[in-house]
Amino acid sequence: MTRGRVDTPVGPRTPLEPGRRRRFAELTGSWRAALRIARRESRRARRRTALVLAMIALPVLVLTFLAASYDMAELTPQEQLDRRLGVADAELRWFADTPVVQDEWGDTWYPRDGGQSAMGRPTTADEVTALLGPGSRVTEIRAGSPVTVRGPRGDETLQAWILDLTDPLARGLVRFRSGRAPQQPGEVALSPTALRRLDGRLGEAVPTADRTRTYTVVGVVEFPDDLGPVIALHPAAVGRADAQPDSRWLIDVPGSVDAAMVARLNERGVVVARRHVPASTTSSRSFIGYVGPANTSDLSTMVLIAGLGLLEVVLLVGPAFAVGVRRRRRDLALVAVAGGDAAHLRRVVLADGVVLGVLGAAAGLLLGVGAAFAGRPIMEQYVFGARFGGYRCWPLALVVLGGVAVLAGVLAALAPAWTAARQDVMAGLAGRRTPPPPRARALVIGLTLVVGGAAFGASRTSPAVILTGLILGELGLVCCTPTLIGGLARLGRVLPPAPRIALRDASRNRAAAAPAICAVMAAVAGSVALGGYLASDAVRDARTYQPLLPTGHVLVNRDDATLRPEPTLEQVSTAAREHLGASAVALVQATACPSADGPASYCSVVPELPPDRVCPFLPGDNLSASQRRQALADPRCRDRAADYFGSYVQTLVDDGSALPLLTGADPAVTTAATAVLRAGGVVVTDPRYLHDGLVTVQVNEVRAGRDEATTTRRDLTGYALAPTSGQPRLLLSASAARQLALKPVSNGWVVDTPTPPSQRRQDRFTADLRAFGTFSVQVEQGAAPRDDSPLLLLLAAAAGVITMGAAGIATALAAAEGRAELSTLAAVGAAPAVRRLLAICQAGVIAGLGSVLGIVAGLGTAAIVLFSANREYATAWPAREAYPYLVPWPALGVLVLVPVVAMLGAGLFTRAGLPIERRLD
């Protein structure tokens, strides 16, 4: 023993570490060799490589374009401040006359003492300047009400901004395209979009729709936050009688706006957004952000939809890898002879997926980012309606997209890799093809996944659950498809030569045919399932729709609260008869609560249900299952109008003139109801409110400056109509309104038209009344189901494109693979047209079988979704209308024609001549 050292006994060294290093070195060396082989193969089979790269890169390109565009459109906090401030030092918003607390950016605030004390008067520039001290400059920016002007194609509504563009502080918010800033009340500047809509030029006059004012266009300006139709008005053109909640002040102060100034302004009720913010608060946008329950559900739904898209890409790319494995079976056999085991063969094929996935991801990312940068002006103008921030491309999203692209390539090569690892080495060396034996295990797994996916998708109505069940079902059908192809091939013995050969080739090349068929099936299934749901939902909406008025009737309201006089009933009737073809017009009057000491801040007039007719449950209550059953069984809780419109009852004053136009009741019934109104009674459209010939009317009033409510009840002689069109209504006679201390106020007009008027006739009608202000027209179109045919046809067209693409890819690959069989056919005397007929049959097998499976799977998926929703609705309260089960026939018609089009396309693009080759031995 050496002095000063303690020897610790050491046991024998185990060969574990050297063994691990050796296996790791073997693994890395094997993958390096496989990647080199894959790179060489991608150069040798350039057409197949280009096909795979296109199918992988195209979705990556589209998603990269969207991700980069979204990232540029999402402004950072500093960019938002720069856009809000322009060249100013800060932005002030005077919200209250008590101290407030705000965040660093000036986006949110609340009263410091917990109260709510808003400004009741407009602020002036002198007041704001007095807060800031000497040497400060301020300018006000206001969002005005939309301005309606006359255009060459009718009235155009422009968003108005009120600011002094001659002030450098305000000028920094816009970009001048041409002209100058407005300097007088009659001068305006228009955005380029507004100028195009008006077909105007600088110096032209633009009249308002009511012809009361005319503006002169002196400039063309662009607001970066709003690229739509905008008009910039001079501050002198619009008065400031009231406090403006959207008013903000841009300031320029000597020095900088520091925290002390912000605190001093907060004490006066002013919220400040300053340019220089501490670095600790300038956090960038997070990709995930706060993940709550709703966000988690949305995120899971997005992930599952992305999974469906990934599955579609894998199924489309899979045939190319399968054909590549078949063409390289001799090379793979040589690898096995040289000592390679099944794992080495799998790595060789999987390396193809890695190499092509990386190349496809790189191409898609580069092209997508370039397209996003090049297409930025188009996206700004026509999609987002605002200018983007800086040029950026969301690196995290691009990394995820690149990883998904590589994963798609690996998954597409996975099944061919397992097939290559199980091939017969001697057959591969001899160049013979050995069709894979049927595997009962795959069929059992597939059927299990189909049944399990259907059961899981029907268990709940959550989108994530339904999509998970759909994915499981599609994976099950993918497992079952090879067995189905083998069964069809055996049935093809009774067919003519061309379809028999097509079925035989599909059976022999199941690794290539099955993914193509499954890709068609997935696209068609999704289109049919969504189409079936939309068709059923449209009919359900039509059944549950409660019209506001009888079909074809029109409700006219005046929008602007101007000082101009209201049109008389005769004037409205004349315009309605001329432009709407009206047969009757009646004045609609609402109720108001006058008081001696000022107007009431809140007033409601409603009929009161007798206590024995009130449902003991409320729709917003969190009811248990037993309580829901009680509510469904209780006749007091069955009121579809209340379920649709809620507890709101519209109260009007009428003498019987508007009654038939509002309700559409029978003439005999309206005559009796009119007699009650003229006798001083009331009419209700819900018989539950009538008890012993009386209706209890309740008036709730909260007067200004008082916190307590005043409630008045009175029993009035009543008449109940049977359930009619529209929401529940209470019609008071003038005498009943006086008894309740109410006064009638005009609330519009109701018009009886034979048919719903077109938009052009409505525009002419409102233009005729333009001298009295602007009017809105509400036409009751009835409960016709919405027309989803364009959307259904679009879905079917998308599925058709995928179907024809899959059929074309599979047919081309089969033609390239079957060149030897074509030479044999030529040698035995087959006609040249056999090649074209064979291509037609091969496309028919892929497109036809995939479409049939997709239609069956789509109809089954729609049935499961609707069954799950109806099962939940059966125990819900308020009661909900069940979904009917409908077949989307327009979509099915298109999808039935798609295989025919794919077959015709295959025949059109296939040469008729058979190849003649001479084999040299």
Side-chain angles (χ1 to χ4, degrees):
M1 175 182 297
T2 305
R3 184 181 179 87
R5 191 181 70 179
V6 178
D7 292 335
T8 302
V10 179
R13 297 180 62 89
T14 60
L16 183 59
E17 283 299 321
R20 285 183 177 178
R21 286 197 296 268
R22 183 173 60 253
R23 286 194 297 270
F24 179 76
E26 292 176 354
L27 180 63
T28 55
S30 175
W31 270 108
R32 282 199 301 268
L35 291 174
R36 287 198 300 268
I37 295 173
R39 185 181 59 184
R40 182 195 63 185
E41 182 63 23
S42 65
R43 294 177 178 176
R44 292 172 58 184
R46 296 186 178 181
R47 293 184 179 179
R48 188 168 66 248
T49 299
L51 177 64
V52 174
L53 289 180
M55 288 188 288
I56 292 179
L58 183 60
V60 174
L61 186 153
V62 174
L63 294 176
T64 301
F65 175 84
L66 296 177
S69 298
Y70 173 77
D71 194 33
M72 290 186 290
E74 194 76 5
L75 301 181
T76 64
Q78 191 61 50
E79 288 174 339
Q80 293 176 6
L81 266 184
D82 293 341
R83 187 163 293 184
R84 286 168 58 183
L85 301 183
V87 297
D89 292 331
E91 174 195 89
L92 307 184
R93 290 176 294 167
W94 202 332
F95 283 119
D97 51 13
T98 57
V100 298
V101 179
Q102 69 166 79
D103 65 347
E104 287 289 346
W105 296 100
D107 293 328
T108 59
W109 66 277
Y110 59 89
R112 190 176 64 187
D113 299 331
Q116 182 69 28
S117 179
M119 292 290 292
R121 58 177 177 79
T123 55
T124 64
D126 293 337
E127 290 177 308
V128 178
T129 305
L131 291 177
L132 301 175
S136 302
R137 295 190 303 110
V138 300
T139 186
E140 187 182 20
I141 311 296
R142 285 184 285 159
S145 301
V147 177
T148 304
V149 298
R150 302 282 293 181
R153 290 172 292 275
D155 294 347
E156 297 286 349
T157 301
L158 311 178
Q159 177 60 44
W161 283 98
I162 305 167
L163 70 169
D164 185 6
L165 291 177
T166 60
D167 192 318
L169 291 178
R171 192 182 183 93
L173 299 179
V174 301
R175 300 174 183 173
F176 265 87
R177 294 295 186 88
S178 60
R180 59 176 177 85
Q183 300 174 356
Q184 300 176 4
E187 296 179 343
V188 297
L190 298 179
S191 67
T193 302
L195 199 67
R196 284 194 300 269
R197 289 191 179 183
L198 298 177
D199 289 342
R201 294 190 299 272
L202 291 178
E204 287 190 350
V206 177
T208 58
D210 55 5
R211 303 284 186 181
T212 58
R213 300 196 65 173
T214 300
Y215 297 106
T216 302
V217 181
V218 297
V220 180
V221 297
E222 176 186 283
F223 289 82
D225 276 339
D226 188 356
L227 300 181
V230 181
I231 182 172
L233 300 171
H234 192 271
V238 182
R240 302 181 69 251
D242 301 321
Q244 301 290 326
D246 294 332
S247 175
R248 54 195 179 100
W249 296 85
L250 298 181
I251 66 171
D252 180 28
V253 297
S256 63
V257 180
D258 54 10
M261 179 179 289
V262 173
R264 180 169 55 84
L265 293 174
N266 289 163
E267 289 291 329
R268 301 294 301 272
V270 180
V271 178
V272 184
R274 50 177 172 156
R275 181 178 303 280
H276 302 290
V277 181
S280 59
T281 63
T282 57
S283 58
S284 59
R285 172 179 54 80
S286 174
F287 173 67
I288 299 298
Y290 170 73
V291 180
N295 293 337
T296 302
S297 176
D298 295 340
L299 182 61
S300 60
T301 301
M302 293 173 57
V303 170
L304 290 172
I305 293 176
L308 283 173
L310 177 63
L311 176 61
E312 189 70 26
V313 173
V314 169
L315 294 175
L316 286 172
V317 176
F321 285 107
V323 171
V325 169
R326 286 202 310 271
R327 297 178 70 90
R328 298 164 55 195
R329 55 185 178 271
R330 179 177 174 83
D331 296 340
L332 295 173
L334 291 174
V335 172
V337 170
D341 56 8
H344 290 97
L345 296 178
R346 285 193 296 268
R347 288 170 196 155
V348 169
V349 181
L350 289 176
D352 290 344
V354 173
V355 170
L356 296 182
V358 170
L359 293 177
L365 293 175
L366 291 176
L367 293 176
V369 171
F373 288 173
R376 172 172 167 150
I378 298 176
M379 297 293 290
E380 290 175 337
Q381 182 69 45
Y382 299 104
V383 178
F384 290 89
R387 293 299 178 194
F388 290 172
Y391 282 88
R392 47 183 177 264
C393 56
W394 201 349
L396 179 59
L398 299 191
V399 171
V400 173
L401 290 175
V404 171
V406 177
L407 178 62
V410 173
L411 292 178
L414 189 60
W418 283 99
T419 303
R422 298 197 309 267
Q423 77 168 350
D424 187 354
V425 176
M426 297 303 297
L429 291 174
R432 298 193 306 269
R433 289 191 300 180
T434 56
R439 301 177 65 87
R441 184 174 60 183
L443 180 61
V444 172
I445 294 175
L447 293 177
T448 303
L449 288 175
V450 170
V451 176
F456 184 75
S459 62
R460 293 177 59 187
T461 56
S462 170
V465 173
I466 293 173
L467 286 173
T468 303
L470 178 61
I471 291 175
L472 292 176
E474 288 192 1
L475 290 175
L477 290 175
V478 169
C479 296
C480 295
T481 301
T483 304
L484 180 61
I485 294 174
L488 291 177
R490 286 191 292 271
L491 296 177
R493 298 171 182 173
V494 298
L495 297 177
R500 185 167 69 246
I501 294 174
L503 284 173
R504 185 205 64 185
D505 288 347
S507 178
R508 290 181 176 179
N509 305 324
R510 295 179 198 178
I517 293 174
C518 293
V520 175
M521 176 202 67
V524 173
S527 173
V528 172
L530 188 55
Y533 173 79
L534 291 176
S536 301
D537 185 62
V539 174
R540 176 178 178 271
D541 286 347
R543 291 178 180 177
T544 58
Y545 178 74
Q546 296 289 329
L548 185 65
L549 297 169
T551 303
H553 288 201
V554 178
L555 191 62
V556 181
N557 299 99
R558 193 163 73 149
D559 295 334
D560 53 348
T562 61
L563 299 178
R564 281 173 287 182
E566 185 177 90
T568 63
L569 178 61
E570 181 61 29
Q571 290 171 326
V572 176
S573 300
T574 301
R577 291 190 182 97
E578 179 180 355
H579 302 293
L580 304 180
S583 58
V585 181
L587 177 65
V588 178
Q589 292 180 305
T591 59
C593 298
S595 59
D597 56 351
S601 59
Y602 172 76
C603 176
S604 69
V605 183
V606 294
E608 186 176 325
L609 277 175
D612 59 340
R613 300 180 186 177
V614 177
C615 177
F617 306 103
L618 294 177
D621 293 343
N622 187 16
L623 303 181
S624 62
S626 60
Q627 290 175 329
R628 289 197 301 270
R629 288 193 295 269
Q630 293 175 15
L632 290 172
D634 194 334
R636 297 173 297 176
C637 302
R638 302 175 185 173
D639 183 24
R640 292 190 59 188
D643 296 342
Y644 189 85
F645 293 104
S647 59
Y648 174 73
V649 178
Q650 185 182 28
T651 302
L652 303 173
V653 178
D654 187 34
D655 61 355
S657 302
L659 176 64
L661 280 66
L662 291 172
T663 62
D666 294 333
V669 176
T670 56
T671 300
T674 301
V676 173
L677 288 173
R678 293 179 178 176
V682 300
V683 174
V684 290
T685 59
D686 189 344
R688 297 181 304 159
Y689 291 105
L690 185 66
H691 57 95
D692 300 328
L694 301 174
V695 175
T696 301
V697 181
Q698 181 183 117
V699 180
N700 299 307
E701 183 177 2
V702 179
R703 297 183 180 180
R706 302 182 184 179
D707 295 333
E708 69 276 1
T710 303
T711 302
T712 304
R713 291 182 177 84
R714 186 179 294 272
D715 292 334
L716 302 173
T717 302
Y719 185 89
L721 299 177
T724 57
S725 299
Q727 65 189 81
R729 292 187 177 94
L730 168 65
L731 281 77
L732 304 174
S733 62
S735 175
R738 287 193 296 270
Q739 295 181 50
L740 296 170
L742 303 173
K743 70 174 183 180
V745 293
S746 177
N747 196 39
W749 300 264
V750 60
V751 182
D752 181 6
T753 58
T755 58
S758 63
Q759 186 62 48
R760 183 179 295 275
R761 296 171 64 187
Q762 297 176 41
D763 293 340
R764 289 200 297 262
F765 169 73
T766 55
D768 200 355
L769 299 176
R770 186 69 69 187
F772 302 98
T774 58
F775 294 80
S776 62
V777 178
Q778 185 175 357
V779 181
E780 181 56 63
Q781 302 288 349
R786 67 175 185 268
D787 185 15
D788 287 331
S789 298
L791 180 58
L792 296 178
L793 294 177
L794 180 62
L795 293 172
V801 170
I802 295 177
T803 299
M804 289 187 288
I809 293 170
T811 303
L813 293 174
E817 181 69 11
R819 185 174 181 86
E821 284 79 359
L822 295 176
S823 300
T824 303
L825 289 174
V828 299
V834 172
R835 180 179 186 178
R836 179 170 293 169
L837 184 60
L838 181 59
I840 292 174
C841 294
Q842 288 171 336
V845 169
I846 302 298
L849 185 55
S851 297
V852 171
L853 291 176
I855 290 174
V856 173
L859 294 177
T861 301
I864 291 172
V865 173
L866 298 178
F867 169 78
S868 177
N870 290 338
R871 186 180 60 181
E872 182 179 345
Y873 289 170
T875 59
W877 184 84
R880 302 180 185 179
E881 183 75 21
Y883 284 99
Y885 185 76
L886 298 177
V887 178
W889 292 112
L892 289 187
V894 173
L895 293 174
V896 169
L897 292 177
V898 167
V900 178
V901 175
M903 296 169 65
L904 294 178
L908 180 64
F909 291 101
T910 301
R911 291 178 296 180
L914 291 170
I916 300 177
E917 299 178 353
R918 183 173 59 184
R919 183 173 300 175
L920 298 176
D921 296 331

